[in-house]
Amino acid sequence: MPSDYYRPGQSSLAKRARRGYGQPMKEVVIYSTSSCLYCRQAEALLERKGVPYKSVDVTEDPAMRAKLVELTGQRTVPQIFIGGESVGGYSDLVKLQQQGQLDVKLA
């Protein structure tokens, strides 16, 4: 299958990034825990879109969890950052996708 083959549900931004067009996507980081269902759902959403991400497991890292609370004001996971900006958790990621704003933030 050619590398530019269309995959249903894949954004045009992800296709361009995979082909090497335009600007690279901003870095996506998901802070999660090992038992978090919403963390897995956030990862799955990004994978369906073809968006690379870095997953940071904070299950055994209370210092990092405290830092996330400082940065975001939230105690829950996942905490998702795009280009260093906190975008919230899974429901916030879904909302961005539904509003057509996720690709804009990734660009």
Side-chain angles (χ1 to χ4, degrees), residues 6 16 21 31 40 52 56-57 62-63 67 72-73 79 83 85 89-93 98 100-101 104-105:
Y6 174 73
R16 286 194 323 262
Y21 298 178
Y31 293 90
R40 302 300 84 74
V56 179
D57 188 335
K67 183 167 176 87
T72 66
Q79 287 302 315
E85 175 191 355
Y90 172 67
S91 59
D92 301 300
L93 188 67
Q98 290 172 341
Q101 293 300 306
V104 173
K105 286 205 172 284

Side-chain angles (χ1 to χ4, degrees), residues 25-44:
M25 274 191 247
K26 292 179 184 169
E27 180 182 40
V28 178
V29 181
I30 301 176
Y31 293 90
S32 63
T33 60
S34 59
S35 62
C36 172
L37 177 63
Y38 290 113
C39 300
R40 302 300 84 74
Q41 290 177 322
E43 291 168 351

